[in-house]
Amino acid sequence: MAFGIYIHWPFCRSKCPYCDFFSKVQKHIPQDKIVNEYIEDIKYYSELTKNKEVTSIFFGGGTPSLLSPQNIERLISTIAANWHISSNIEISLEANPNTDSPSLFSDLHSSGINRLSLGIQSLSAEGLKFLGRTHSVRDALTSAEKVLNIFSNHSADFIYALPNQNITSWHNDLLQICSLGFKHLSLYQLTIEDGTIFAKKDIKPADENTAIELYNLSNQILTQYGYDHYEVSNFAKPLYECKHNKLYWQGDDYVGIGPSAHGRLHINNNFFATTHKRQKEKLTPYERAEELILMGLRLTEGINKQTFKQTCGLDFDKLISPQILTALSQQELIENSSQTIRATANGFLVLNKIIEDLICNSLYIDYQHQ
Ligand SMILES: C[S@@+](CC[C@H](N)C(=O)[O-])C[C@H]1O[C@@H](n2cnc3c(N)ncnc32)[C@H](O)[C@@H]1O
Ligand code: SF4
């Protein structure tokens, strides 16, 4: 079973107008002091999960490429000193292309990072300006070239369905994105989140029909270029799926370190949601089942019912109303067999509705009394 450590670094150089991730812009960051606290948290969680083998570490943000390579190395070596480490561990870090340091990517590689995820977001000057990014297209391309030279496992993030984005311009962008040569791509539709600058300015993303066209075109072009569409927004060349993100979607355990990081731990047959600082809340099997449905249906391969039972202790086919499963199958939104349930291509377009239908038609109360 996969087991990961997520380390959240909540600082950024500036706040992007669309972003509702927990991040702060501040001049003086007591980096060493914060990392010392993270190290204490890592040791605390290792005591709770001693017998597990770490299969992935993910430095997310905020902007973890602002962490010094020395501190990254300290965090990785603390993890290695406190758990068994898988021989093919994936250690990812999200980086922004707006670095001043010419040696940033080789320094990150030397500090132990073996998978780099670059936040390019757009390959057009207008797109970057609209998204309030502080890097230029040239910065993005220079950083991409370095990342591809230095790392053998790499990914890039892009945001689409911007207002007025049309199928022709996105088609051209997709061809350029694919020609860059990243092993993994994350393509996110712009969402307007409450409290962001975009929400305050009442910015609207591309309309729903255009967004669907852009999404379908992304799947078509990336598939032609050999990327497997393995999760709603994620595409990978064979063997390059993100192990760490996949563990969230599969419902495996992970430790979360940092002010807004959360974790999921399965200890002595109990499930816990953990939050900063070392808070643990027990989840019922039903709450855990809901999460597994919510996350698992994002994967193209869907939910394996045997793994579902091992993870939350409940039998999927006894938990969900057979009528709703039949109705969703007849509408060709899901494929449901005795081993797996997964969304079809049409189902992916209405995934939230499918998840809501499944969760609202859970027979948990009846199930408990069987
Ligand atoms: C943790 S965030 C940011 C990582 C890194 N700081 C950066 O900006 O590149 C991870 C990704 O989520 C995506 N994202 C964040 N907010 C979004 C939004 N409102 N709509 C669509 N995608 C979003 C961006 O593609 C971003 O790279
Ligand atoms: S998108 Fe990235 S750089 Fe921009 S505010 Fe959010 S976390 Fe920071």
Side-chain angles (χ1 to χ4, degrees), residues 73-113:
E73 210 173 323
R74 285 173 69 209
L75 290 161
I76 295 174
S77 59
T78 306
I79 293 170
N82 285 278
W83 278 282
H84 299 291
I85 295 291
S86 156
S87 57
N88 57 354
I89 187 168
E90 172 191 279
I91 310 181
S92 302
L93 180 137
E94 289 179 337
N96 284 20
N98 63 352
T99 172
D100 300 328
S101 159
S103 62
L104 174 77
F105 297 111
S106 52
D107 293 344
L108 290 170
H109 189 254
S110 307
S111 68
I113 302 299

Side-chain angles (χ1 to χ4, degrees), residues 238-254:
L239 304 177
Y240 284 95
E241 290 179 353
C242 176
K243 279 190 202 173
H244 187 83
N245 284 336
K246 207 165 171 192
L247 73 76
Y248 300 141
W249 299 316
Q250 282 176 334
D252 294 316
D253 281 11
Y254 58 97

Side-chain angles (χ1 to χ4, degrees), residues 83-326:
W83 278 282
H84 299 291
I85 295 291
S86 156
S87 57
N88 57 354
I89 187 168
E90 172 191 279
I91 310 181
S92 302
L93 180 137
E94 289 179 337
N96 284 20
N98 63 352
T99 172
D100 300 328
S101 159
S103 62
L104 174 77
F105 297 111
S106 52
D107 293 344
L108 290 170
H109 189 254
S110 307
S111 68
I113 302 299
N114 61 19
R115 180 177 181 277
L116 203 290
S117 173
L118 192 63
I120 296 181
Q121 317 306 353
S122 172
L123 282 175
S124 85
E126 306 82 70
L128 290 174
K129 186 164 178 238
F130 169 76
L131 291 168
R133 299 294 287 184
T134 55
H135 64 269
S136 63
V137 174
R138 180 194 271 265
D139 294 333
L141 295 178
T142 311
S143 297
E145 199 184 331
K146 287 187 184 169
V147 168
L148 292 162
N149 277 331
I150 293 169
F151 293 86
S152 54
N153 193 355
H154 29 65
S155 180
D157 287 4
F158 292 89
I159 302 181
Y160 70 102
L162 308 185
N164 304 323
Q165 191 168 27
N166 63 45
I167 199 103
T168 315
S169 68
W170 182 231
H171 189 217
N172 290 335
D173 288 353
L174 285 169
L175 296 179
Q176 211 191 337
I177 289 169
C178 290
S179 68
L180 292 173
F182 282 92
K183 299 286 190 201
H184 184 282
L185 293 168
S186 302
L187 306 184
Y188 299 108
Q189 288 193 9
L190 175 67
T191 54
I192 306 298
E193 310 290 345
D194 288 347
T196 59
I197 298 170
F198 274 180
K200 287 177 193 144
K201 288 188 173 168
D202 203 22
I203 302 273
K204 302 272 179 254
D207 64 73
E208 204 180 318
N209 288 340
T210 309
I212 291 176
E213 278 188 80
L214 300 174
Y215 170 84
N216 287 336
L217 183 69
S218 312
N219 300 344
Q220 184 198 321
I221 303 283
L222 267 66
T223 307
Q224 281 167 11
Y225 275 80
Y227 290 95
D228 177 29
H229 183 203
Y230 74 103
E231 192 267 352
V232 181
S233 309
N234 285 280
F235 301 80
K237 291 277 168 89
L239 304 177
Y240 284 95
E241 290 179 353
C242 176
K243 279 190 202 173
H244 187 83
N245 284 336
K246 207 165 171 192
L247 73 76
Y248 300 141
W249 299 316
Q250 282 176 334
D252 294 316
D253 281 11
Y254 58 97
V255 163
I257 304 289
S260 82
H262 52 84
R264 289 289 178 277
L265 297 177
H266 186 186
I267 305 169
N268 300 333
N269 275 335
N270 288 313
F271 313 104
F272 293 97
T274 66
T275 47
H276 195 64
K277 260 209 99 128
R278 304 185 189 176
Q279 300 295 309
K280 272 207 315 297
E281 185 201 337
K282 198 164 157 186
L283 298 177
T284 65
Y286 178 61
E287 286 169 327
R288 192 71 183 114
E290 261 191 29
E291 290 187 337
L292 295 178
I293 294 171
L294 195 74
M295 300 301 276
L297 283 180
R298 296 183 61 90
L299 285 170
T300 309
E301 70 193 35
I303 297 168
N304 177 306
K305 293 182 180 175
Q306 202 184 341
T307 315
F308 180 90
K309 185 159 190 186
Q310 281 160 5
T311 312
C312 69
L314 302 175
D315 189 330
F316 187 91
D317 287 318
K318 287 189 189 158
L319 183 65
I320 305 296
S321 144
Q323 285 84 355
I324 196 74
L325 290 171
T326 307

